[in-house]
Amino acid sequence: MTDETPTSVPERKRGAGAKIVYDLLRDEILNLKLAPGSPIDEVQLGERFGMSRTPIREALVRLAEDGLVTTLPNRSTMVAQVDFLNLHTYFDALSLMYRVTTRLAAQHHRPADLREIRALQDAYAQAVQSQDALAMIAVNAAFHIAIAEAGRNPYFTGLSKRLLGEGRRILRLYYDSYDDQLPMHLVDEHEVLIQAIADRNVEEADRLAKAHAEQITRQVQKLLTRPGDSGIAL
Amino acid sequence: MTDETPTSVPERKRGAGAKIVYDLLRDEILNLKLAPGSPIDEVQLGERFGMSRTPIREALVRLAEDGLVTTLPNRSTMVAQVDFLNLHTYFDALSLMYRVTTRLAAQHHRPADLREIRALQDAYAQAVQSQDALAMIAVNAAFHIAIAEAGRNPYFTGLSKRLLGEGRRILRLYYDSYDDQLPMHLVDEHEVLIQAIADRNVEEADRLAKAHAEQITRQVQKLLTRPGDSGIAL
DNA sequence: TGCACAATTCTTGTCGACAAACAAAATGCA
DNA sequence: TGCATTTTGTTTGTCGACAAGAATTGTGCA
């Protein structure tokens, strides 16, 4: 009967504090639940998570290293902006990572990798069917990360994770503009991509990945260049 | 006359603590002054830098995010190991980054970039001439980072920085084994690389960068595969 | 009223301290 | 002697508090 309030303080374990905050904040940033530019108050977060500022601070440092948060020295820290002006550098990088990770996956994948990829593809199709844009975006990222993992190059996997994370924010804005009119054809593109990987057809995998990236690039660029000719948006 | 000891506490500014520790530790790790696997004691570092554990901790978190330090939860943190078994993934990534950043540099470089690159090439040649392996390795990394910056894609620049940092440790081991017999021909390879960039000859830059990467890969692999056929070393 | 300067408030960076988790040493038992 | 268990010690994760900058408010003067 002398228990502490177990509802709001769920027996947090030693060393887990920073990770909890990091994971949740990261998700909220990538889902645009925290808008780019919003200020982040350490004390407020401390109250919210029921912990001291120290673990909060560690989470923020890690988020800053990921580029998801901008920290002005001695000044406030805020959610990083999406750099629309240099979006082409993003798509250049994404396209190259799509290509190289898919190539490597075709070369090095193992049975367990394919099962994982196919499971995520199923989840993706389901998210599309139930018109859940948020889930779709997250699962899409997980899908391509799984392919990258199957390629077994941690450097490429790392950059891919970073790009796909950032991509979640861009796609979120994209789908918001299109009123959640979800593109079924991406499901089919993923399907043939999986087939090429399973067949260990490296060149075909490369070609499809490149086309897939160009497809997405074209659609987003189309959205951003509605009035003029250079991608002005903000 | 009631001053504090100003010798060992050189007026550190607010907010600078973590960066000082981060930069110095990073350099010591990459120069192998801190051997891979060495344990890192927070208290000891605190005494050495004359500051509390808090800024030390922040530096370690950032180093961990860079993969230069491994942190076991609730246990010691230590200098990350160089993964010799998967070295081919490293060279795959390095080769691709060499190629793509050099290509982009040929496309997007500005006069100031070329001046910076040439200055580093001069410093590199000087380091080779004075047989300073440590400086050579560091300047070589800076040289390729400058090329990456000229390419103006922050995602590629980021991965290149990471790879070249890691490369400093690998090259250090490599040159140790070869008794500082420094390769002059790398200077010439850099020279033609610069020329291709200056001429905005994208395909030539790509070709040279690829050859440059393969050259380095071959040399290091040759060293690591002396007895058997698979890269066993540790 | 408008502007420059001073005072206050607020947020961050740093500190010392404490407690939990782990490792090592010491003790007891078969 | 050898192994299991307890005890001790060390290191990390977390906390509350304090001080330095920056932002904001308030004040005085032209």
Side-chain angles (χ1 to χ4, degrees), chain A residues 9-74:
Chain A
V9 185
E11 293 270 337
R12 176 166 59 91
K13 271 175 205 151
R14 206 178 147 75
K19 183 170 165 47
I20 294 173
V21 179
Y22 173 84
D23 287 340
L24 194 57
L25 275 187
R26 182 184 143 88
D27 214 61
E28 291 190 351
I29 291 173
L30 296 183
N31 282 341
L32 292 186
K33 196 167 174 181
L34 288 174
S38 334
I40 296 183
D41 184 9
E42 298 176 0
V43 180
Q44 192 176 325
L45 282 176
E47 292 172 5
R48 176 177 163 196
F49 288 97
M51 59 180 80
S52 158
R53 275 176 52 221
T54 309
I56 307 277
R57 211 136 211 293
E58 182 179 326
L60 290 181
V61 169
R62 290 172 56 188
L63 286 171
E65 206 78 4
D66 293 350
L68 294 180
V69 137
T70 310
T71 309
L72 309 241
N74 278 327

Side-chain angles (χ1 to χ4, degrees), chain B residues 14 40-43 53 57 73-75 77:
Chain B
R14 205 179 146 76
I40 296 182
D41 184 8
E42 297 177 2
V43 180
R53 275 176 51 220
R57 210 136 211 294
N74 280 325
R75 209 93 53 88
T77 122

Side-chain angles (χ1 to χ4, degrees), chain B residues 15-89:
Chain B
K19 184 171 165 46
I20 294 174
V21 180
Y22 173 84
D23 288 340
L24 194 58
L25 275 188
R26 182 184 143 88
D27 214 61
E28 290 190 351
I29 292 173
L30 296 183
N31 282 342
L32 291 186
K33 197 168 175 181
L34 288 175
S38 331
I40 296 182
D41 184 8
E42 297 177 2
V43 180
Q44 192 176 326
L45 282 176
E47 292 171 6
R48 176 176 164 198
F49 287 97
M51 58 180 78
S52 158
R53 275 176 51 220
T54 309
I56 307 277
R57 210 136 211 294
E58 182 179 327
L60 290 182
V61 169
R62 290 172 55 189
L63 286 171
E65 206 78 5
D66 293 350
L68 294 179
V69 137
T70 311
T71 309
L72 310 239
N74 280 325
R75 209 93 53 88
S76 69
T77 122
M78 49 194 227
V79 178
Q81 300 280 357
V82 181
D83 187 1
F84 286 103
L85 291 177
N86 291 47
L87 214 52
H88 63 99
T89 66

